[in-house]
Amino acid sequence: MSLVVVGSVAYDGVETPHGRVDRMLGGASTYISLAASYFTKVNLVGIVGEDFAQEDWDLLAGRGIDLTGLDRAAGKTFYWAGVYSEDMNDRTTLRTDLNVFADFDPELPAAYRSKPYLLLGNIQPALQRRVRRQMDGTRVVAGDTMNLWINETREELLETIRDWHVLLINDSEARLLTGERNLRRAARAIYEMGPQTVIIKRGEYGAALFRGEEVFLAPAYPLEQVSDPTGAGDSFAGGFMGYLAERGIDLESGRADMPELARAVVYGSVMGSFCCEDFGVNRFRTLSRAEIDSRFQEFRGLTAF
Ligand code: AMP
């Protein structure tokens, strides 16, 4: 089973109460791909500049990620910088330099077009749609979005998510998108927009999955120290979708069962928690599948009574 991932590959500058790094590998699709690579074959679609370091390329390739779809263009790699509040629940963006990302016009390698799983990372809805249109016979299409697109390109976004199976979204953005304060009502409003499976991410409070009348709640893993939450939502998405691909789940046929989707949410939470343990993507340099499965088992104990 094979997953296509599209989104930003970036250099990030991040400051949290636990430290500061001016420049390190980041980007939504970097986190998604690294997290998903523990479960399935990943095919990355994105763009980097001439400054993209060989060691960063090697880190992705070393996890078995197919980089045929990662273009290297003249110019600089997308750069993003942010600073977290003392409790790390708020983040202020200090800089967004689109650089080569400004002219990104994703053209999928022929071999990617028939892959069964597609995860559209948080980029302009028009680009997400362009990628979606190039794919055929997809079993699960999932995607992420953010307040910027909800506010600035709402119609475009609604057009884009109409044929997605899964929407992954933050709680505040779910409210912004639907106008509903109550998350259950917000999920129902999102069903009307297209996606029949809705995952609402609630940061340190965990994640909620809504499908029809069913709801599944996963807590966030209680880490002793969150070093850097950047990429946690993307790592969640990578773990969630990676597990669906590993298990061959088919949402196009509508046959998926809730227990499998619930396990995917827990794997997402597991990957989000590992991501937070260290700065940037560092935790993925040493993380093993055995550690992932062990934390997955720990989740059972967190909520069983
Ligand atoms: P998250 O913490 O899950 O929201 O993801 C953070 C990642 O998103 C960082 O690594 C950034 O490089 C990337 N990012 C931030 N802003 C944007 C944007 N406007 N478009 C694409 N990627 C972005």
Side-chain angles (χ1 to χ4, degrees), residues 238-258:
F240 173 82
M241 196 67 171
Y243 180 76
L244 293 189
E246 183 181 60
R247 302 288 298 161
I249 304 297
D250 185 347
L251 293 182
E252 182 65 27
S253 71
R255 278 198 306 268
D257 60 349
M258 266 307 268

Side-chain angles (χ1 to χ4, degrees), residues 6-7 13 48 53 62 65 74 78 99 166 179 186 191 194 210 244 254 262 283-285 295:
V6 63
V48 294
I65 298 166
F78 176 74
N99 299 330
V166 183
Y191 299 158
F210 298 88
L244 293 189
R283 188 62 181 89
F284 295 112
R285 296 179 197 278
R295 186 165 291 179

Side-chain angles (χ1 to χ4, degrees), residues 207 216-222 266 296-305:
F216 174 74
L217 301 173
Y221 184 77
V266 173
F296 177 87
Q297 292 305 335
E298 259 187 85
F299 262 82
R300 296 192 191 279
L302 287 177
T303 49
F305 60 89

Side-chain angles (χ1 to χ4, degrees), residues 183-200:
L183 292 185
R184 204 162 187 169
R185 295 169 74 100
R188 210 169 292 138
I190 293 169
Y191 299 158
E192 299 285 317
M193 298 172 183
Q196 295 303 299
T197 301
V198 177
I199 296 175
I200 300 186

